[in-house]
Amino acid sequence: MKTMNAMSTARVYPQLDHQQIYEEYAEKIHRYFRYRVKNVWDVEDLTTTVFIKVYSKLEQYDRRHPFGAWIFRIAHNTLIDYLRKKRECPVDQEMFSSIKATDEDELPEASLLTQETTEGLWKQVHNLTVDQRNVISLRYLADLRMNEIAQILGKSEASVKILHFRGIRKLQQIMKAEA
């Protein structure tokens, strides 16, 4: 039976083996957790847990949804389970402070200003609704498309776009009020 499942998995998603799946998605999943969980060790554990679940359920992937959306659905559910157990706030301001400017030629002052602006923005994410936080995190931290986010959250793409729009608008209003 196990050989049959492995064979059907190979037919369903033949181009990726475990190493390829890990290489393609590990950094995105780690980043998704890193900005939502305080403890670095827990981030590592959660990332590992996701891949254990993915590998153990690979034969259940049925191609109705994009592979990345399927993996992030597992990651999202793993995060929800973790937060329920820990009762932690899913947005950690300390972790957002580690965001660095990506332009190496940028002056240190400009880099600091960019980092402070980014920190200020992410500190305000906790003012959003849970659904808006989830959409914003999946969009900008996991770098997913709206249709993938909709599948992960079990919502329509239209409702995800509305949540995204309202969340961004609320963040803009908060940042303007602070300026």
Side-chain angles (χ1 to χ4, degrees):
M1 179 80 173
K2 193 161 188 138
T3 310
M4 182 70 148
N5 285 341
M7 289 173 59
S8 65
T9 301
R11 276 183 265 140
V12 169
Y13 211 76
Q15 69 270 32
L16 291 181
D17 63 15
H18 290 201
Q19 183 65 30
Q20 289 171 317
I21 292 169
Y22 183 82
E23 287 173 2
E24 185 169 343
Y25 294 100
E27 185 178 325
K28 290 178 182 179
I29 289 172
H30 187 272
R31 184 174 55 231
Y32 173 67
F33 288 138
R34 186 175 69 220
Y35 294 113
R36 303 198 51 148
V37 175
K38 291 180 182 180
N39 186 322
V40 175
W41 302 110
D42 287 346
V43 171
E44 297 294 331
D45 289 345
L46 287 169
T47 303
T48 302
T49 300
V50 167
F51 284 99
I52 290 170
K53 289 179 180 180
V54 166
Y55 298 151
S56 69
K57 297 178 181 188
L58 199 55
E59 69 274 354
Q60 296 175 13
Y61 174 64
D62 62 4
R63 292 193 110 162
R64 286 187 295 157
H65 307 292
F67 192 73
W70 181 74
I71 288 178
F72 270 96
R73 179 71 172 187
I74 292 171
H76 180 71
N77 290 339
T78 302
L79 177 66
I80 289 172
D81 291 344
Y82 168 82
L83 293 174
R84 282 183 186 143
K85 288 177 188 173
K86 288 287 199 173
R87 300 205 185 278
E88 244 182 60
C89 177
V91 178
D92 177 28
Q93 290 83 17
E94 290 177 47
M95 292 304 290
F96 287 120
S97 68
S98 67
I99 297 173
K100 304 263 190 279
T102 57
D103 186 359
E104 292 179 16
D105 295 332
E106 192 171 32
L107 295 173
E109 296 83 6
S111 176
L112 182 61
L113 183 59
T114 300
Q115 185 174 344
E116 287 176 356
T117 302
T118 303
E119 286 176 30
L121 177 65
W122 282 110
K123 283 180 181 178
Q124 299 306 323
V125 169
H126 74 278
N127 291 321
L128 303 176
T129 67
V130 172
D131 285 339
Q132 288 171 340
R133 281 195 308 258
N134 286 334
V135 170
I136 298 294
S137 295
L138 288 167
R139 177 73 181 115
Y140 298 105
L141 299 178
D143 198 30
L144 297 176
R145 295 184 310 263
M146 294 297 180
N147 63 336
E148 293 172 321
I149 295 168
Q151 291 167 356
I152 291 167
L153 298 178
K155 298 184 178 300
S156 71
E157 189 172 346
S159 67
V160 167
K161 287 179 180 179
I162 290 169
L163 286 167
H164 179 261
F165 174 78
R166 289 180 179 163
I168 295 296
R169 187 175 63 194
K170 186 171 182 179
L171 287 172
Q172 287 172 337
Q173 290 170 348
I174 292 168
M175 296 303 285
K176 277 184 184 177
E178 285 185 355

